[in-house]
Amino acid sequence: KTPSGKTMEKRHGSTGSLKVTDQVNENEGRPKIVRTFSSSFLSEFLSEEVKPCKRRRDVDDILTKLDGGSKTVLVRVDFNVPKGPDGSISDDSRIRGALPTIKRIISAEGCNAVLVSHMGRPKLVQCGGEGADEEREKLSLRLAAERLSFLLEGLPVEFAPDCIGPVADAAVAALPENGGAVLVLENLRFYKEEEKNDPEFARALAKNADIYINDAFGTAHRAHASVTGVPALLPPDMCGIGKLVKSEISYLDFSNVGSNSSITAVIGGSKVSTKLPVIKGLLDVVDILVLGGGLAFTFLKAAGCNIGNSLLEEELIDTAKELMEAAKSKNKRLILPVDARCSQSFPSSPMEESETRLFDTVPGVGDGIEDGWMGLDVGPKTVELFRTILVGTTKLVLNGPMGVFEVSPFDQGTMGLVDILEDLTVSGTVTVVGGGDSVAAVEQAGKSSAMSYISTGGGATLELLSGVDLPGVAAIGKVDC
C-alpha cells in the first residue's frame, strides 16, 4: 500500500506496466505470486510524501520501559458517578471504564496506583458554609473506593480522607514497595484550588508521584490542577494517557481517517447554540452532517420552511444560513429532516399518535408546519431518508437525540435511528455514540452493546468532535506511532 492507503496495484493500473507471474512451489504446492514493477512506478511510489505518525504517550509506553524499583502512579480518573436517593451508587460504568488502566498498573512490577477524582460540585465544602459536613459525606469518594474493590474481585482498595497534606502523604507512604496496591484519595474538588489550577495545589498532588496517567476523559477538557497542573511538574516521559482516554481519542478523532473513508456525524439536541462549535468543526472533517432534534428547526427556518411553534433561536438564523453555505462550498452533504411529528403543546406524559400530526418540512414543498404546532421529533420519512443516505458510511458518530425521546410517541425518530445504527454496525460501519442524552436513548432501546463504542465524555466529547485540543490530552507528550 502507498502512504495514502491505496494499493500499489490500483495506482499502478494507470501506468499499465504491472507484471504478475504465478509460480508453484513444488515443496508446498502453493502458488507464489511474483510482482515486477517498472522503474517509473517505483519512482512515483517512493516520491509520495510520508507524514510522520505521532500519538500521545500512553500507560503501556511508560510501564514497559521502567527500570525496576517501587513506583507510585498517580492516576486521574473520573469517578463522578451518579447516586440514587439512598446515596448508593446507581451506575458504576465510569469506575468500570478505569479498570483496564488500573489493572495494567498494579500488574507492573513495583507499581502502586493512587487514584484521584472529583465528585459533584461541593461549593459548601469549599466555602465552609452551613451544611458543609453533610455535603462532604454525600460527595465523598469512599463509596467509589468500596465499589472499585468489589469490581477488582475483592482486592483491598485503601481510602484516604484527604487528597493532599499529611493524611494523603501518609497513605501513599504506607503502600507496599513491591507494588500491586490501589489507593483512592478524597474528592479533589473539596479544594477550590483544583478548578483554579492552583500551582501549589498541583505541587501537593504531584509530590508523591513518580508517574502520572490521565484516564479521565470526562474532564480532559478542563485545565484543572489534576489535569494539566500535575503533568507540567513531572518528567514528560513519565506522563501518559490511560487506556480509556486512548480509546476515546481513537474513536472520536477523525483527523487521521483514510482518504477512502466516508465519515458521517448525526447531531441532535435542543439548541444550535450548544452545538454550534461542534457543527462548525465537523464541517471540516465529515462527508455527511445530519442535523435533527430541536436544533434542526432553526436551520429549517433559515432554509425557508415554516416551522410553526417549534423551537427557534432566531438570533442564529443568519449563522445557520452561513453554515449551510459553508457546507456547499466544502462539498459536504448537510441533511435536514424532511418531516416532523408535532404536537400543539409540550407533552408531560405519553400521547396517542392520533393526538399528533405529521408535517413535511422540505423547503418549497408544501406549507411546512402549521402555526400552533411544534415539532418534537423527526417523522418516518426522515428515518427512511437516514437509512438511505447512511449506506456506505465507514464511520459514524451520534451526538444528541432526534426528538423528545423520553415521551412516546416522540421517541420513534430516535429509536428508528438507533435501529439503523445497529444495522450499520453489523455491516461493518464503526458507530460511536457520545453525549448523555444520546447514550441514554441507546440504553433505553437496549442496544448499547450493538454500537461499536459508547463515549464516556460529555463536554469533552463535544470539544474533541469540534476539533479543539483538549487540555488534558495536550498536556501529554507525543511519541512515534
Side-chain angles (χ1 to χ4, degrees):
K1 289 188 176 182
T2 67
S4 63
K6 298 177 182 177
T7 63
M8 296 173 77
E9 291 89 336
K10 183 177 180 181
R11 280 182 48 114
H12 192 63
S14 63
T15 68
S17 54
L18 170 63
K19 177 183 178 182
V20 179
T21 304
D22 290 351
Q23 295 180 344
V24 177
N25 186 314
E26 295 181 356
N27 294 327
E28 299 182 12
R30 295 184 301 182
K32 178 181 180 182
I33 306 300
V34 178
R35 290 179 173 85
T36 304
F37 301 95
S38 69
S39 59
S40 62
F41 167 77
L42 291 174
S43 175
E44 178 189 4
F45 173 70
L46 293 174
S47 65
E48 189 170 328
E49 181 182 359
V50 181
K51 295 181 180 179
C53 176
K54 295 286 186 179
R55 60 171 176 79
R56 298 293 172 180
R57 182 180 289 104
D58 61 44
V59 61
D60 289 315
D61 295 322
I62 297 172
L63 296 183
T64 54
K65 295 180 180 180
L66 293 181
D67 54 3
S70 180
K71 303 290 184 183
T72 298
V73 185
L74 185 69
V75 189
R76 181 42 161 112
V77 293
D78 183 5
F79 284 179
N80 184 30
V81 293
K83 293 182 178 180
D86 62 351
S88 62
I89 295 174
S90 57
D91 181 359
D92 62 8
S93 57
R94 289 180 177 174
I95 301 177
R96 292 177 183 272
L99 290 178
T101 294
I102 296 170
K103 290 179 178 179
R104 175 67 180 93
I105 291 169
I106 61 177
S107 67
E109 183 179 358
C111 289
N112 293 306
V114 177
L115 314 181
V116 292
S117 176
H118 74 284
M119 170 80 79
R121 299 181 180 277
K123 299 301 182 183
L124 294 177
V125 175
Q126 290 179 3
C127 68
E130 184 178 350
D133 290 341
E134 291 82 359
E135 186 178 71
R136 179 180 291 275
E137 182 177 354
K138 178 182 178 182
L139 298 180
S140 172
L141 287 172
R142 186 181 296 276
L143 288 181
E146 294 174 359
R147 179 63 62 90
L148 176 60
S149 177
F150 171 78
L151 295 174
L152 289 172
E153 299 177 348
L155 178 75
V157 173
E158 301 298 327
F159 175 76
D162 206 343
C163 60
I164 61 172
V167 173
D169 294 346
V172 173
L175 295 173
E177 289 191 10
N178 61 345
V182 180
L183 168 66
V184 175
L185 302 183
E186 186 56 285
N187 192 342
L188 291 164
R189 290 189 186 171
F190 283 171
Y191 292 87
K192 60 187 177 188
E193 290 83 0
E194 157 66 1
E195 294 173 271
K196 293 181 177 181
N197 196 8
D198 180 79
E200 290 302 318
F201 183 76
R203 272 190 279 273
L205 287 172
K207 65 178 293 188
N208 297 312
D210 301 300
I211 299 168
Y212 170 83
I213 300 296
N214 188 343
D215 208 28
F217 181 72
T219 57
H221 61 308
R222 306 291 191 191
H224 292 171
S226 65
V227 177
T228 59
V230 172
L233 299 171
L234 295 175
D237 61 346
M238 290 292 105
C239 298
I241 57 174
K243 292 181 177 293
L244 175 63
V245 172
K246 184 177 181 178
S247 293
E248 295 278 0
I249 294 173
S250 173
Y251 279 101
L252 294 172
D253 183 1
F254 294 163
S255 61
N256 293 318
V257 296
S259 58
N260 294 324
S261 298
S262 174
I263 310 301
T264 299
V266 182
I267 305 298
S270 59
K271 292 186 176 182
V272 178
S273 53
T274 304
K275 302 289 178 74
L276 186 58
V278 181
I279 295 171
K280 286 181 177 179
L282 285 173
L283 283 177
D284 290 327
V285 294
V286 302
D287 302 292
I288 303 172
L289 178 59
V290 178
L291 301 181
L295 64 84
F297 293 107
T298 297
F299 283 84
L300 288 169
K301 183 71 172 181
C305 178
N306 182 30
I307 62 170
N309 291 19
S310 303
L311 181 64
L312 172 66
E313 291 177 272
E314 195 163 359
E315 71 280 7
L316 292 177
I317 289 178
D318 288 340
T319 301
K321 290 179 180 179
E322 293 169 2
L323 288 170
M324 289 189 286
E325 286 300 318
K328 289 181 182 179
S329 66
K330 295 177 180 181
N331 199 28
K332 310 290 186 177
R333 296 184 65 188
L334 194 153
I335 307 298
L336 297 175
V338 295
D339 64 340
R341 184 173 295 280
C342 303
S343 170
Q344 291 181 304
S345 61
F346 195 89
S348 59
S349 60
M351 299 176 64
E352 297 293 332
E353 282 193 34
S354 59
E355 300 177 84
T356 71
R357 285 186 64 183
L358 292 169
F359 292 95
D360 289 338
T361 55
V362 180
V365 179
D367 299 323
I369 299 174
E370 292 182 7
D371 292 343
W373 291 83
M374 65 178 70
L376 297 174
D377 190 20
V378 298
K381 293 180 182 178
T382 301
V383 174
E384 288 308 307
L385 173 65
F386 291 167
R387 186 177 295 278
T388 300
I389 65 171
L390 296 180
V391 172
T393 293
T394 54
K395 189 170 185 178
L396 181 149
V397 60
L398 168 64
N399 183 275
M402 297 295 99
V404 187
F405 72 95
E406 300 92 344
V407 183
S408 176
F410 306 106
D411 59 341
Q412 294 179 8
T414 301
M415 294 301 113
L417 177 60
V418 171
D419 289 340
I420 294 170
L421 264 59
E422 180 182 29
D423 294 340
L424 288 171
T425 308
V426 172
S427 65
T429 300
V430 176
T431 53
V432 183
V433 179
D437 286 340
S438 44
V439 172
V442 172
E443 290 176 347
Q444 180 176 309
K447 295 188 176 179
S448 296
S449 61
M451 305 297 123
S452 302
Y453 190 75
I454 302 292
S455 175
T456 62
T461 299
L462 294 178
E463 293 198 16
L464 186 56
L465 288 175
S466 67
V468 173
D469 285 335
L470 304 181
V473 177
I476 304 300
K478 292 183 177 181
V479 296
D480 292 333
C481 294

